């Protein structure tokens, strides 16, 4: 069966450190992988999109890697701040499953000052 | 420009009733998707509409239905409500089906009592 797995436990880190979140998938061949941020009671907000032929994408303090051999994406936030505390969702877009966007359950990130 | 607007924000209904939720996408966006989010299941895909046609449907019972109007606005309907339908319902709009960055609304919090 298809699965998208993200760290189920919250990630607690100290301000200024780099946060690394993991997204693993099985039985998908995604054309795209995306990361979203969600704050409590709000809709997800798009952060980054990476295509299957891209290894890495950066945007300000954010970096995403995509390894189609390992079937894994890593999401990094450098110089993390308490304002980065939120749930981060991984989502993939797979043509073979109706071209819809499928989400992981998300990882809660808490950045402590 | 204005973001995705969902109405109402909060709703309380009784078991057995039906409910209609509305979504106005970003101006110029023609693709609208609906998701159900619960603490246990995360974001689950309901359906996707493009140019008034349903392109994809998730694994939900027939009590869940939707439609899209010529101005791209979308509605979803849930009939014969069950307690388990209590969730945050999120609408996301995209420019078209090829560009997969999704913009989410704030969601409608439905509580079934």
């Amino acid at each position: 069966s298809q699965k998208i797995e993200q760290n189920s436990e919250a990630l607690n880190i100290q301000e200024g450190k780099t946060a690394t979140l993991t997204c693993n998938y099985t039985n998908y061949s995604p054309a795209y992988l995306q990361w979203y941020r969600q704050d409590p009671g709000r809709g997800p907000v798009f952060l980054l999109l990476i295509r299957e032929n891209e290894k890495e994408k950066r945007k300000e303090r954010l970096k995403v890697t995509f390894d189609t051999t390992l079937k894994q994406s890593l999401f990094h936030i450098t110089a993390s701040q308490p304002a980065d505390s939120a749930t981060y969702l991984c989502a993939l877009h797979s043509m073979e499953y109706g071209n819809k966007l499928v989400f992981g359950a998300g990882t809660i990130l808490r950045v402590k000052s | 420009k204005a973001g995705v607007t969902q109405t109402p924000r909060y709703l309380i209904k009784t078991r057995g009733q039906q409910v209609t939720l509305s979504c106005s996408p970003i101006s110029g966006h023609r693709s609208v998707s609906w998701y159900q989010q619960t603490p246990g299941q995360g974001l689950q895909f309901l359906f996707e509409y493009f140019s008034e046609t349903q392109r994809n449907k998730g694994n939900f019972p027939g009590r869940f239905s939707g439609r899209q109007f010529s101005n791209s606005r979308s509605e979803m309907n849930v009939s014969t409500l069950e307690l388990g339908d209590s969730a945050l319902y999120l609408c996301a709009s995209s420019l078209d089906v090829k560009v997969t960055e999704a913009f989410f609304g704030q969601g409608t919090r439905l509580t079934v009592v």
Side-chain angles (χ1 to χ4, degrees), chain A residues 23-90:
Chain A
C23 174
N24 295 299
Y25 59 91
T26 53
N27 293 324
Y28 282 110
S29 297
Y32 307 89
L33 193 143
Q34 305 183 40
W35 285 86
Y36 288 78
R37 168 187 172 138
Q38 187 174 24
D39 292 285
R42 312 288 291 260
V45 174
F46 171 79
L47 295 174
L48 281 168
L49 178 153
I50 188 166
R51 292 175 170 78
E52 59 180 337
N53 60 352
E54 298 175 317
K55 295 292 185 187
E56 182 179 297
K57 204 79 168 281
R58 290 174 186 261
K59 179 183 175 184
E60 298 172 352
R61 295 185 295 112
L62 309 180
K63 184 177 86 171
V64 173
T65 63
F66 192 10
D67 189 326
T68 55
T69 301
L70 289 179
K71 296 186 180 296
Q72 181 182 78
S73 175
L74 298 178
F75 178 78
H76 307 271
I77 306 175
T78 57
S80 58
Q81 305 164 1
D84 295 326
S85 299
T87 297
Y88 290 85
L89 302 164
C90 156

Side-chain angles (χ1 to χ4, degrees), chain B residues 30-58:
Chain B
R30 295 163 65 193
S31 174
V32 173
S33 297
W34 287 89
Y35 294 83
Q36 180 195 67
Q37 188 173 35
T38 57
Q41 297 294 318
L43 265 164
Q44 300 290 310
F45 173 79
L46 280 157
F47 21 67
E48 177 195 8
Y49 288 89
F50 179 77
S51 293
E52 301 179 67
T53 301
Q54 186 181 87
R55 286 176 42 86
N56 279 302
K57 190 175 190 309

